Amino acid sequence: MHLISQTEQNGGYWLITLQLDSNTLLPFGYQLHLDNRQPLALFQQKEYEAQFLSLAPLDNAAESLIATSPPGNQNTPAWQILSKQVADASQTENPILLLAKNENIANLLHFAQMNAQQHDLIAILEATDAFPFIVKPAKFLFEGLPPEAIGACPLLEDWKVPNRLCALNGLMGCYDGSIEDILQNWKPDASWATIDFRSLNKPLTNS
């Protein structure tokens, strides 16, 4: 892998484009972890090019790590948990609830873009400080949520995926609370599958 470009996005995030050594599709939930730096979460892939979202740009040392031995999160306990959720959800005909926070929103968007036409998807996104996109008014209604929680992710709306946003810092258009708080007020049907990309936040230690 090597760096092609990196551009700053809304909310202080960075979109980092990498040239891949192979055009083999990277798995859902794929991330690069570079020592103690912010992880790079896969957003989309086209052939030998992949885009990642991070809360910080790459420095020279990080570029060297990527070029020599890309430290992916595959086969870590956190990734294995997510991989099982993805496999189970892929077998269902019921709606799939997608959950993500901060940079893991990129992993959720990657899954949603690839699966929105095959499955009924619903997404809830959480941000600590800000989202990596401009919040827009939602087109799809969510019964049971406060009327002020009307903000949505434009890309998910374009893919016809109903979604809502939440934050603890009073972001306009967002539910004032966490994903757990939303799920106390709005409970999905028990038959729905869930893919929780927040599981990727768990410590990375190999089993």
Side-chain angles (χ1 to χ4, degrees):
M1 292 185 182
H2 67 265
L3 178 66
I4 296 176
S5 65
Q6 48 187 345
T7 55
E8 191 169 7
Q9 305 296 299
N10 190 73
Y13 290 82
W14 288 79
L15 187 65
I16 297 170
T17 304
L18 300 179
Q19 181 76 30
L20 306 179
D21 298 325
S22 166
N23 64 351
T24 302
L25 289 178
L26 298 171
F28 295 123
Y30 185 81
Q31 294 187 354
L32 290 171
H33 291 258
L34 310 172
D35 293 339
N36 294 320
R37 297 172 176 83
Q38 293 289 340
L40 279 66
L42 179 63
F43 168 52
Q44 63 180 359
Q45 178 184 353
K46 295 181 180 178
E47 295 289 334
Y48 288 88
E49 238 177 68
Q51 291 187 315
F52 294 81
L53 191 69
S54 181
L55 283 164
L58 297 181
D59 56 20
N60 291 336
E63 286 188 50
S64 297
L65 282 173
I66 286 176
T68 54
S69 56
N73 66 332
Q74 289 171 281
N75 300 320
T76 62
W79 184 84
Q80 289 169 358
I81 290 170
L82 182 86
S83 181
K84 184 179 187 306
Q85 291 178 357
V86 169
D88 291 346
S90 298
Q91 302 302 314
T92 185
E93 296 182 357
N94 296 321
I96 302 172
L97 177 64
L98 308 178
L99 308 173
K101 181 178 179 180
N102 296 335
E103 69 273 2
N104 296 331
I105 290 170
N107 294 124
L108 182 153
L109 293 174
H110 177 224
F111 180 89
Q113 184 178 25
M114 301 292 288
N115 288 274
Q117 294 185 353
Q118 292 80 30
H119 296 278
D120 292 329
L121 305 178
I122 301 94
I124 302 177
L125 315 181
E126 181 181 345
T128 300
D129 297 311
F131 289 97
F133 49 79
I134 297 174
V135 176
K136 299 287 187 180
K139 302 173 186 175
F140 302 98
L141 297 179
F142 265 57
E143 293 185 6
L145 290 185
E148 63 269 18
I150 197 61
C153 169
L155 273 179
L156 290 173
E157 293 272 300
D158 290 344
W159 301 331
K160 296 180 172 53
V161 176
N163 68 99
R164 283 299 183 272
L165 312 177
C166 57
L168 294 169
N169 59 354
L171 285 177
M172 185 174 295
C174 300
Y175 181 88
D176 187 16
S178 65
I179 287 176
E180 284 78 9
D181 294 330
I182 276 194
L183 294 177
Q184 290 296 318
N185 289 278
W186 175 81
K187 293 186 179 298
D189 191 272
S191 67
W192 291 12
T194 299
I195 302 176
D196 191 348
F197 291 90
R198 297 175 302 165
S199 65
L200 297 170
N201 289 329
K202 294 184 178 180
L204 286 177
T205 55
N206 289 313
S207 56

